[in-house]
């Protein structure tokens, strides 16, 4: 067996190897790479924050297949979302969903609540402090039903566009802010620096690990008849086949619809998460139960009119009897 080196000899060999190799990388901290000669200000300036906010997407039990397909279409469109199991839609669903959002390390929630197998309600909430919006979903058309010609890459970041009506009233401004971003304050762990960063629901965060670094489709939110209409379009740009696109081809850009389609009718805006003080209530909202009851009353009214018409006919016949015909029994003899 060879002889063991002394401790002093090993230290000398290690020093020689360190000198021959490249410079040692600086020590890594929670806020970035730490250099011994730099000041605290330079450390704070080198902080690169990555928005890791996620959205939890879930639904209630006994949801219909059509609404479940709509939820899955939205899951495909939002690369920064997490899908969870179904939740029982009870009065205590708010506490359950807030706990799920915390366990999944998310900051926002999209909850599809189906009632009576017919009515679909969408909850958009910032957890755990709010605000939250309850909306009725109408005119649902999934991507499987439409079969449109548009097609965009899965995971690419969308461009959010809003109609000018969103800036006219405060409740539309709040709804627009919830769809895009709500600012909050983060305190750095080892410094006194405070910055505000956005939380997105439909807008994919920049540099997200599951998203692509470019835009190739557009989310359109427009207001008509006090309803929010959602459309998804692909940005189609014909080019000659090279790697770069000519400026002349950029002018020929067109939008091709991809899907899905749906319409949102705002019901209430709450100050908390899935509840709390009511900030706004839609005065023109009529629940689907009331609409169905009115339709039943109209059908019942038709039957009642028929019964009354028969009774009037009998009363008229009794009040105006026919005269006896002299020749009625002539050919019987």
């Amino acid at each position: 067996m060879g002889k063991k080196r002394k401790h002093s000899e090993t230290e000398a060999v290690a020093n020689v190897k360190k000198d021959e190799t490249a410079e040692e990388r600086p020590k890594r901290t929670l806020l970035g790479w730490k250099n011994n000669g730099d000041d605290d200000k330079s450390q704070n300036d080198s902080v690169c924050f990555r928005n890791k906010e996620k959205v939890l997407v879930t639904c209630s039990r006994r949801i219909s297949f059509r609404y479940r397909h709509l939820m899955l279409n939205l899951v495909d469109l939002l690369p920064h979302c997490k899908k969870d199991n179904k939740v029982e839609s009870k009065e205590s669903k708010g506490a359950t969903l807030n706990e799920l959002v915390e366990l999944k390390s998310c900051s926002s929630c999209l909850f599809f609540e189906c009632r009576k197998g017919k009515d679909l309600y969408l909850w958009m909430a910032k957890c755990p402090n709010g605000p939250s919006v309850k909306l009725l979903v109408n005119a649902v058309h999934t991507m499987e039903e439409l079969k449109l010609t548009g097609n965009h890459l899965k995971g690419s970041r969308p461009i959010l566009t809003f109609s000018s009506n969103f800036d006219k009233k405060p409740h539309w401004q709040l709804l627009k802010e919830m769809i895009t971003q709500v600012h909050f304050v983060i305190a750095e762990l080892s410094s006194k620096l405070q910055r505000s960063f956005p939380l997105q629901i439909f807008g994919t965060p920049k540099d997200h690990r599951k998203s692509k670094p470019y835009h190739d489709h557009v989310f359109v939110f427009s207001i008509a008849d006090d309803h929010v209409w959602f459309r998804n379009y692909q940005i189609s740009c014909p080019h000659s086949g090279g790697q770069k696109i000519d400026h002349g081809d950029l002018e020929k850009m067109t939008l091709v619809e991809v899907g899905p389609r749906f319409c949102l009718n705002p019901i209430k805006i709450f100050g908390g998460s899935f509840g709390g003080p009511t900030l706004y209530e839609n005065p023109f909202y009529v629940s689907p139960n009331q609409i169905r009851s009115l339709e039943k009353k109209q059908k019942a009214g038709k039957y009642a009119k028929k019964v009354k018409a028969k009774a009037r006919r009998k009363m008229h016949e009794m009040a105006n009897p026919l005269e006896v015909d002299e020749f009625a029994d002539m050919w019987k003899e």
Side-chain angles (χ1 to χ4, degrees), residues 121-153:
Y121 297 91
L122 174 61
W123 287 84
M124 291 194 307
K126 297 292 183 181
C127 300
N129 299 322
S132 58
V133 183
K134 184 179 182 181
L135 307 114
L136 177 66
V137 185
N138 294 320
V140 175
H141 298 280
T142 61
M143 297 175 72
E144 291 80 6
E145 293 175 350
L146 296 173
K147 296 181 180 179
L148 298 170
T149 58
N151 185 20
H152 60 79
L153 189 64

Side-chain angles (χ1 to χ4, degrees), residues 326-333:
E326 298 178 358
F327 304 102
D329 301 330
M330 183 178 65
W331 301 105
K332 291 182 179 180
E333 295 179 355

